[in-house]
């Protein structure tokens, strides 16, 4: 039996389910088709479970160092099965919350794989959705006025480097580990690789990171990359920069051995397991794109500023369109797409206003242009930096490494970018994000009275430092 909808969303991840909620708020009859679990990668294989593990690693390190605070705990051990049990409880609680939101919004959820059909008896345009149900029942036919593709992404590997799920892992398999390895090679020093390197190191695992580029987290400001490298090395993480991994040298038995070309010579590396963290590929296969005029570029779906594809009634959001592959980005792309469908005339999403975070220890966070980007765009810059070691709350926490860096336009005084590394900066970056939205100046942030003692004092001092007015430096 066919059913009509105003909107059908393929994918119930963060982008998809948020889009569905906004559509329901606007009175659109909405359905979500999800072949896995509502919440998608972020909730089940990414953001939430990895941060739960990172939190356990942080607590472990706090306990290990507790005598520095005058607290004697005795022998501290990691019970990794309980760590995983806690992670699963957090995920399950949030999963139930998403299910509740779907019921509350009267959003129909189909558990199965949705495929876009071409013109048919149901519609003269492509867009009818055939749902292959997970329970094996007859396919459901959905006839929407509009479609949003929100099918997400999956970890990719290097050509010729096979993932066996036992010794050679992606983040999907790593999240399911039932015990900690003694050692781990991590291929890739981007955000995900660095978070895993930090976490495993904090749990006591010997970690070696092989990064092909000339620095880790290369999308961040150069000063942030350098500080992260310095601080993680200080904690014991080993890094090999400019390492070209050679997949055909992979050997697996009871351990993993692989070679990499480094500065013209070949070096061999061995560990108990290896994590491959080299980016993500869009999930765009098997969903019927061939039945449409939708265009793909480098494996990602092309859209306009309001996320319409070449088929104007079919939109696409999130990881499957490339760009910033972040959960909060997908959510706001979904909201923008839905409001465009509903005739709300939304503003275009300004990606320069979006904060990015690295949840390692130390944390890193940023919004706006890096110093290198700002220089390339021809701005005359003035820059303020302020270290956490001069902030009382950071010393109280015992986490005094890192700094806040603010980049401003010397001509207009506008803030161009804010970059932070140190304690709890992922919770602090939103102040900078709001400053960017309001087109604020360093003077305005400096005039904001930051409470004492607080970590946020570093933001106020960095803003003052832009004009040479920092008090505690």
């Amino acid at each position: 039996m066919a059913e009509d909808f105003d909107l059908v969303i393929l994918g119930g991840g963060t982008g998809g389910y948020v889009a569905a909620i906004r559509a329901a708020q606007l009175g659109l009859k909405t359905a979500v088709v999800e072949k896995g679990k509502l919440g998608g990668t972020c909730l089940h294989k990414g953001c939430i479970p990895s941060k739960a593990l990172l939190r356990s690693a942080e607590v472990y390190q706090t306990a290990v160092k507790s005598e520095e605070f005058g607290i004697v705990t005795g022998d501290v051990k990691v019970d990794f099965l309980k760590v995983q049990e806690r992670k699963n409880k957090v995920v399950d609680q949030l999963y139930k919350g998403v299910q509740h939101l779907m019921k509350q919004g009267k959003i129909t959820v189909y558990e199965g794989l949705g495929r876009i059909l071409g013109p048919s008896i149901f519609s003269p345009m492509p867009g009818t959705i055939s749902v292959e149900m997970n329970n094996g029942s007859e396919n459901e036919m959905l006839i929407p006025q509009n479609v949003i593709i929100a099918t997400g992404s999956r970890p990719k590997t290097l050509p010729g480097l096979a993932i066996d799920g036992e010794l050679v892992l992606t983040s999907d398999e790593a999240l399911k580990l039932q015990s900690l390895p003694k050692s781990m090679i991590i291929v890739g020093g981007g955000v995900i690789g660095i978070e895993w390197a930090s976490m495993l190191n904090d749990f006591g695992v010997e970690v070696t990171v092989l990064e092909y580029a000339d620095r880790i987290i290369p999308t961040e400001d150069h000063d942030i990359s350098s500080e992260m490298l310095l601080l993680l090395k200080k904690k014991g993480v080993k890094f090999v920069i400019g390492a070209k991994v050679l997949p055909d040298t992979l050997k697996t038995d009871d351990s993993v051995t692989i070679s990499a070309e480094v500065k013209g010579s070949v070096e061999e590396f061995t560990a108990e397991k290896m994590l491959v963290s080299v980016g993500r590929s869009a999930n765009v296969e098997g969903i019927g794109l061939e039945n449409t005029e939708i265009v793909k570029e480098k494996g990602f779906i092309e859209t306009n500023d309001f996320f319409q594809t070449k088929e104007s009634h079919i939109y696409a959001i999130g990881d499957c369109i490339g760009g910033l592959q972040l959960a909060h980005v997908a959510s706001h792309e979904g909201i923008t797409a839905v409001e465009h469908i509903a005739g709300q005339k939304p503003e275009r999403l300004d990606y320069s206003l979006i904060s990015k975070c690295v949840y390692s220890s130390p944390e890193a966070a940023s919004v706006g242009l890096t110093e290198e980007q700002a220089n390339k765009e021809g701005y005359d810059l003035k820059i303020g930096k302020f270290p956490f070691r001069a902030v009382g709350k950071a010393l109280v926490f015992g986490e005094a490494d890192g700094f806040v860096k603010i980049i401003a336009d010397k001509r207009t005084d506008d803030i161009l970018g804010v970059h932070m590394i140190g304690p709890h900066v992922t919770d602090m970056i939103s102040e900078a994000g709001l400053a960017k939205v309001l087109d604020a100046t360093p003077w305005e942030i400096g005039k904001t009275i930051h409470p004492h003692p607080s970590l946020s004092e570093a933001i106020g001092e960095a803003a003052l430092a832009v004009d040479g007015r920092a008090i505690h430096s």
Side-chain angles (χ1 to χ4, degrees):
M1 180 183 293
E3 186 166 358
D4 294 327
F5 288 93
D6 296 317
L7 174 64
V8 171
I9 300 170
L10 296 184
T14 307
Y17 87 71
V18 169
I21 292 170
R22 183 64 182 130
Q25 289 174 343
L26 293 173
L28 301 181
K29 182 182 178 184
T30 303
V32 171
V33 181
E34 171 56 56
K35 69 175 182 178
K37 288 185 173 182
L38 288 170
T41 294
C42 176
L43 178 51
H44 300 284
K45 298 180 180 180
C47 317
I48 298 302
S50 64
K51 278 44 176 189
L53 295 182
L54 279 159
R55 173 59 178 155
S56 289
E58 180 185 36
V59 170
Y60 173 62
Q61 281 299 311
T62 300
V64 167
K65 299 173 182 176
S66 65
E67 288 194 27
E68 296 177 15
F69 297 83
I71 309 299
V72 180
T73 59
D75 189 24
V76 180
K77 296 180 181 179
V78 175
D79 184 336
F80 199 66
L81 288 177
K82 286 189 176 179
V83 169
Q84 288 284 26
E85 183 180 320
R86 178 182 182 273
K87 176 207 75 178
N88 293 336
K89 284 181 179 178
V90 171
V91 170
D92 188 55
Q93 181 175 341
L94 291 170
Y95 174 50
K96 289 175 181 176
V98 176
Q99 290 176 307
H100 170 74
L101 291 171
M102 294 298 99
K103 291 178 182 177
Q104 180 176 276
K106 298 180 181 177
I107 298 159
T108 306
V109 177
Y110 291 89
E111 296 180 357
L113 175 63
R115 291 187 178 88
I116 302 170
L117 303 181
S120 65
I121 59 171
F122 299 106
S123 173
M125 299 185 300
T128 296
I129 306 297
S130 174
V131 184
E132 182 181 326
M133 301 299 290
N134 288 346
N135 62 12
S137 62
E138 185 179 347
N139 282 21
E140 297 280 354
M141 303 299 290
L142 315 181
I143 308 173
Q145 295 297 310
N146 295 277
V147 176
I148 293 179
I149 301 170
T151 46
S153 65
R154 62 189 182 278
K156 65 181 179 182
T157 187
L158 296 175
L161 190 59
I163 305 297
D164 64 18
E166 292 293 331
L167 295 175
V168 183
L169 318 172
T170 69
S171 56
D172 285 359
E173 294 83 27
L175 285 168
K176 299 176 184 176
L177 287 172
Q178 295 302 294
S179 61
L180 288 166
K182 292 181 180 178
S183 57
M184 178 81 82
I185 295 168
I186 298 179
V187 179
V191 172
I192 295 173
I194 290 304
E195 288 182 354
W196 277 97
S198 172
M199 175 213 303
L200 292 170
N201 173 260
D202 280 348
F203 275 135
V205 177
E206 182 182 314
V207 177
T208 301
V209 177
L210 307 180
E211 170 53 47
Y212 178 72
D214 61 358
R215 61 189 176 103
I216 61 171
I217 45 174
T219 56
E220 295 298 324
D221 187 86
H222 201 286
D223 286 350
I224 300 295
S225 294
S226 298
E227 185 78 355
M228 183 69 78
L229 181 68
L230 177 69
L231 295 178
L232 289 181
K233 276 186 173 181
K234 185 178 175 183
K235 292 174 68 174
V237 179
K238 298 174 185 176
F239 288 92
V240 184
I241 304 301
K244 181 182 179 181
V245 171
L246 305 173
D248 59 354
T249 66
L250 176 66
K251 300 172 187 175
T252 56
D253 190 3
D254 293 331
S255 61
V256 178
T257 298
I258 198 162
S259 296
E261 189 177 308
V262 185
K263 297 179 181 178
S265 63
V266 176
E267 298 183 25
E268 189 174 80
F269 303 90
T270 299
E272 186 176 331
K273 293 182 185 292
M274 182 167 74
L275 172 65
V276 180
S277 179
V278 292
R280 298 183 67 84
S281 299
N283 293 325
V284 293
E285 303 86 2
I287 60 172
L289 295 187
E290 66 278 6
N291 298 322
T292 73
E293 298 296 320
I294 292 173
V295 175
K296 290 187 293 180
E297 179 67 28
K298 295 181 180 179
F300 297 99
I301 297 172
E302 280 194 353
T303 69
N304 64 16
D305 288 343
F306 297 103
F307 308 106
Q308 287 173 293
T309 67
K310 283 289 185 180
E311 302 277 4
S312 61
H313 63 296
I314 301 179
Y315 294 65
I317 63 167
D319 285 9
C320 68
I321 66 171
L324 289 175
Q325 293 181 309
L326 302 170
H328 49 289
V329 173
S331 295
H332 284 273
E333 288 173 346
I335 290 169
T336 300
V338 166
E339 291 180 350
H340 191 260
I341 288 168
Q344 297 283 302
K345 297 182 179 179
E347 292 186 1
R348 292 174 173 83
L349 197 59
D350 185 346
Y351 290 90
S352 72
L353 304 179
I354 293 172
S355 300
K356 300 180 293 179
C357 297
V358 186
Y359 295 87
S360 50
S361 177
E363 294 185 343
S366 63
V367 63
L369 298 178
T370 65
E371 183 177 351
E372 183 180 24
Q373 289 168 339
N375 278 321
K376 281 184 178 179
E377 293 189 18
Y379 289 102
D380 190 10
L381 305 181
K382 54 181 182 178
I383 296 171
K385 287 177 72 174
F386 194 82
F388 278 107
R389 67 174 176 271
V391 175
K393 188 68 173 289
L395 295 176
V396 169
F397 273 7
E399 298 180 44
D401 291 320
F403 56 83
V404 175
K405 175 179 179 178
I406 296 180
I407 303 167
D409 182 350
K410 191 177 288 186
R411 184 179 65 84
T412 66
D413 210 32
D414 291 337
I415 291 173
L416 300 174
V418 180
H419 307 272
M420 310 177 185
I421 181 169
H424 300 280
V425 296
T426 62
D427 299 314
M428 294 164 54
I429 193 62
S430 292
E431 177 180 347
L434 178 60
K436 282 286 292 174
V437 169
L438 298 176
D439 207 15
T441 66
W443 181 87
E444 288 167 314
I445 290 182
K447 288 296 287 184
T448 303
I449 299 175
H450 294 81
H452 175 78
S454 71
L455 295 173
S456 66
E457 288 179 275
I459 300 175
E461 290 274 19
L464 292 172
V466 171
D467 293 307
R469 297 189 297 119
I471 300 299
H472 293 91
S473 67

